[in-house]
Amino acid sequence: MLKRISVLVVAALTLAACGSGGGSGGGDGSITMGFSQVGAESGWRTANTKSVQDSAKKAGVTLKFSDAQQKQENQIKAIRSYIQQKVDVIAFSPVVESGWDTVLKEAKDAKIPVILTDRAVDSKDTSLYRTFLGSDFVEEGRKAGKWLVDAFKSSTDPVNIVELQGTTGSAPANDRKAGFAEEIAKDPKFKVIASQTGDFTRAKGKEVMEAFLKSNPDIDVLFAHNDDMGLGAIEAIEGAGKVPGKDIQIITIDAVKDGMQALADGKINYIVECSPLLGPQLMDLAKKVLKGEQIPTRVVTEETTFTQEQAKAALSSRQY
Ligand code: GYE
């Protein structure tokens, strides 16, 4: 019994120490980061989580990590708890773009800097966060659209496109859709005949593609906002007796291993890369912010694109 009490006392003291030890801005050399992750919806997300966790360890940053299971309310709760625990810095990947002002203001009032990673918020007040590290999603959508325009340039026939959107209201879904639409608008033969969310998951991608196939007999192209939804859709296409990559051309975004394998196998036609390896840059930015150094308000990730041939060559050296 006595032993149990002393364990509890130690636990309470440790908690108290954590509570008051933060907010030092890493003054004693140690940094505690609270990180609120979107969820575990895709291969991209798994690789991103690993990158953040590995880089924190390497950089000597104590990481408090929470998974929001794709729910904004869980992210808000996590951020509030990080504020209460007085972490030195908060980083998060906002599941949707809007609705963050109140909680970001709370962090600002508590003088805890916030770094947006991977996804953006639509807050008008940009003083609510220090920087946004991540991809240019509009550009990714444009790259997908450009490839399509080029692939069908010798034909004048109408091209029927179905689109699997990412999580409704998320920056990558909004921006990829917009960038793609901008490019295909250059030729009226391209028509998006159905567009629906598949929530960035394989299961939803399959389910929605099955519905698309039932109501649209003449689908020429699928544009999926990530590899996972594209991989789910491939199952649906094969289930309907069609050949993915041939009967229906497929473009996806991410370039995770499973996606690259399907591209190399000829089931996907083109992938626009979106890098999940944001951890090292995130730790670097956090350290700079806490030292009071100037950092850019936007840090854009460098990315490429892959054809089937390029995927075959790149597969063996792919990290995720
Ligand atoms: O493309 C998708 C993931 O926000 C860039 O989220 C990220 C996206 C990524 O679920 O696979």
Side-chain angles (χ1 to χ4, degrees):
M1 178 69 182
L2 208 78
K3 198 167 164 205
R4 211 160 139 201
I5 290 173
S6 62
V7 169
L8 281 177
V9 170
V10 171
L13 284 174
T14 315
L15 268 180
C18 284
S20 61
S24 64
D28 59 354
S30 70
I31 293 175
T32 300
M33 173 187 284
F35 185 91
S36 168
Q37 180 60 290
V38 169
E41 74 282 4
S42 63
W44 190 100
R45 190 64 53 198
T46 310
N48 179 245
T49 293
K50 187 171 181 317
S51 171
V52 170
Q53 289 173 335
D54 290 354
S55 322
K57 226 179 251 162
K58 239 193 191 152
V61 169
T62 305
L63 190 70
K64 290 176 184 281
F65 182 90
S66 62
D67 174 337
Q69 300 180 328
Q70 300 236 70
K71 291 203 176 73
Q72 181 171 35
E73 72 218 55
N74 291 345
Q75 288 201 294
I76 292 175
K77 257 188 229 155
I79 294 169
R80 290 211 165 112
S81 123
Y82 296 145
I83 295 172
Q84 236 170 17
Q85 293 172 58
K86 297 191 169 67
V87 298
D88 298 306
V89 55
I90 292 171
F92 83 113
S93 174
V95 58
V96 291
E97 283 191 282
S98 54
W100 300 101
D101 288 28
T102 307
V103 73
L104 289 179
K105 178 93 187 359
E106 288 166 21
K108 191 181 173 189
D109 290 345
K111 297 194 169 42
I112 301 176
V114 172
I115 298 178
L116 301 178
T117 159
D118 159 34
R119 296 185 185 177
V121 298
D122 65 3
S123 303
K124 297 274 168 307
D125 181 359
T126 52
S127 78
L128 294 177
Y129 55 91
R130 304 299 283 273
T131 187
F132 164 39
L133 162 68
S135 309
D136 181 340
F137 300 133
V138 178
E139 193 49 36
E140 289 173 350
R142 282 192 196 116
K143 286 178 186 167
K146 274 184 190 146
W147 180 84
L148 184 62
V149 170
D150 190 58
F152 283 80
K153 67 170 182 274
S154 54
S155 151
T156 49
D157 295 343
V159 180
N160 290 336
I161 305 164
V162 294
E163 181 179 32
L164 282 169
Q165 298 178 34
T167 301
T168 305
S170 71
N174 293 340
D175 294 355
R176 287 170 182 170
K177 186 174 181 20
F180 182 76
E182 188 186 307
E183 287 302 322
I184 60 165
K186 291 177 181 165
D187 188 334
K189 76 180 177 209
F190 293 106
K191 275 205 181 65
V192 178
I193 55 167
S195 180
Q196 222 175 288
T197 182
D199 213 11
F200 280 131
T201 69
R202 226 176 258 218
K204 256 301 189 63
K206 182 176 179 192
E207 192 186 305
V208 177
M209 190 68 199
E210 279 168 352
F212 283 167
L213 285 159
K214 270 193 199 128
S215 43
N216 306 282
D218 296 321
I219 300 171
D220 301 304
V221 173
L222 162 68
F223 170 43
H225 289 187
N226 79 343
D227 289 350
D228 279 82
M229 292 189 294
L231 291 163
I234 286 173
E235 289 177 34
I237 294 168
E238 286 173 337
K242 297 198 175 195
V243 184
K246 296 216 162 58
D247 296 337
I248 298 177
Q249 305 247 331
I250 303 178
I251 312 164
T252 64
I253 297 181
D254 275 354
V256 295
K257 251 212 174 107
D258 290 355
M260 291 287 274
Q261 186 63 59
L263 181 61
D265 293 344
K267 295 186 177 192
I268 293 179
N269 302 78
Y270 192 63
I271 299 187
V272 176
E273 185 186 42
C274 177
S275 175
L277 305 179
L278 304 176
Q281 274 172 299
L282 174 61
M283 297 309 146
D284 197 46
L285 288 165
K287 284 187 176 176
K288 286 188 172 148
V289 163
L290 293 171
K291 274 193 209 142
E293 287 178 27
Q294 282 289 346
I295 57 163
T297 51
R298 175 77 170 103
V299 181
V300 184
T301 323
E302 271 181 40
E303 284 149 357
T304 185
T305 55
F306 294 97
T307 60
Q308 293 175 338
E309 286 314 308
Q310 288 164 334
K312 279 180 203 156
L315 244 184
S316 61
S317 58
R318 214 67 194 148
Q319 287 180 53
Y320 53 89

